[in-house]
Amino acid sequence: MSEKHACRVLPEEAGVRLDKFLSTALPHLSRSRLQQLIEQGHITSGGKVVSNASKKTKAGEAYEIVEPEIKALDLTPANIALTIVFEDAHFLVIDKPAGMTVHPAPGAGQQTLVHALLAHCGDSLSGIGGVARPGIVHRIDKDTSGLLVVAKTDAAHQSLSAQLKARTLKRTYLCYGWGALNPRTGIIDAPLARHKLRRKQMAVIEDGKHAVTHYETLANYRAKGSITPFASKVTCQLETGRTHQIRVHMAHMKCPLIGDRTYGIPTQTQINKLRAAHIVMNEETLHLLTGFPRQALHAFKLALIHPVLGEEMAFSAVIPADLQALEHALVTLTNQA
């Protein structure tokens, strides 16, 4: 059933935008949702439909808001096991495995994170945007593993999205790349946009969107007697969150991610570089390094402010087995006689 709300403008609340006033009076509804309700004619004043979200309020005005019944999302929930790092009534933090797509898309089937969340959350989902669905606050690529936060209520979604925009929601990634970064610690400030020819790819473009990544090298892997690292272990913290940002920035810095088929280097080039670095390895190790099946990227830390309680919270994810095996191989080759 639909819900009805009423609120009146106090003298100290006069002169502000209507959508801002309503979002304060009705904190469970986001400003964007209220704008949507205004567009759909669900908000009235004095019996007349209000159509302008930016109109200034006047003291004494009364508004009636009808919140329509939440529509079910036209997807079939799927009983897929999830690794839940944290959950309460407002949001949850998921440790997503590599290979799982976040959002439904052509070819993704019914094994996406959204399908799994619909089954897991059931009736606890709120009407984000008027539709019962989990609020994906930020995404990670299908073949990237690790943490992402999901809102269960409209208010939580609004708060977490605002934190993401204000850069108080911190996301730190662990990655392994070919070569080394110079300097070992620094900031990559390189704008990103769609590649002008390969439209499914991103690229560093002078007039692209602002994109900043903070990085720190944790380890360089080099053969005995060599001064040139053949690979590196790096943490990257996103200041902005552009599509494929870390993958493109690492490639731009001549340290492309191991296993990245889109922005990495060809397999034969990898083999040639290993041989040039005088790396001796068996076929199994060679295949592990040059045939790693995904980009070696893992979202392993997440920090945020609880959207309702206001408490600072931090989460971490274990390093998945495939990346542990990759690091073991790199350390072994570094320590070889």
Side-chain angles (χ1 to χ4, degrees), residues 55 58 69 102 120 136 150 161 169 177 183 215 221 243 255:
K55 74 175 291 290
K58 296 179 181 179
E69 183 177 0
V102 173
H120 172 77
I136 305 296
V150 178
S161 295
L169 195 158
Y215 71 87
Y221 304 102
T243 301
C255 189

Side-chain angles (χ1 to χ4, degrees), residues 256-288:
L257 298 187
I258 293 174
D260 195 332
R261 301 292 182 269
T262 302
Y263 304 105
I265 55 180
T267 300
Q268 189 56 51
T269 302
Q270 297 169 18
I271 295 172
N272 293 342
K273 285 180 176 292
L274 290 170
R275 288 174 176 167
H278 305 290
I279 302 296
V280 179
M281 67 191 81
N282 57 35
E283 287 298 319
E284 182 180 352
T285 303
L286 178 64
H287 177 72
L288 174 62

Side-chain angles (χ1 to χ4, degrees), residues 83-218:
T83 300
I84 299 173
V85 178
F86 172 85
E87 181 177 14
D88 66 6
H90 310 286
F91 75 100
L92 33 63
V93 176
I94 302 290
D95 185 356
K96 185 190 81 68
M100 174 182 276
T101 301
V102 173
H103 267 118
Q110 296 188 6
Q111 298 297 304
T112 73
L113 179 61
V114 167
H115 285 90
L117 287 168
L118 288 171
H120 172 77
C121 296
D123 293 337
S124 68
L125 289 180
S126 180
I128 300 170
V131 179
R133 62 180 173 87
I136 305 296
V137 177
H138 62 104
R139 305 186 190 192
I140 55 178
D141 295 337
K142 174 184 176 181
D143 290 327
T144 297
S145 55
L147 301 176
L148 75 166
V149 61
V150 178
K152 295 172 72 174
T153 70
D154 203 25
H157 199 173
Q158 181 182 16
S159 172
L160 293 166
S161 295
Q163 291 181 48
L164 192 65
K165 186 175 181 180
R167 300 169 185 170
T168 55
L169 195 158
K170 305 292 186 182
R171 294 162 291 163
T172 306
Y173 292 72
L174 178 69
C175 60
Y176 299 84
W178 292 113
L181 291 163
N182 185 23
R184 286 176 58 92
T185 300
I187 299 173
I188 308 170
D189 187 346
L192 300 179
R194 289 285 171 188
H195 194 287
K196 293 182 179 179
L197 298 178
R198 298 186 289 275
R199 301 304 295 172
K200 291 185 178 182
Q201 296 183 24
M202 305 299 289
V204 173
I205 305 289
E206 186 175 350
D207 60 350
K209 292 183 178 180
H210 181 57
V212 177
T213 303
H214 299 254
Y215 71 87
E216 179 182 359
T217 301
L218 300 183

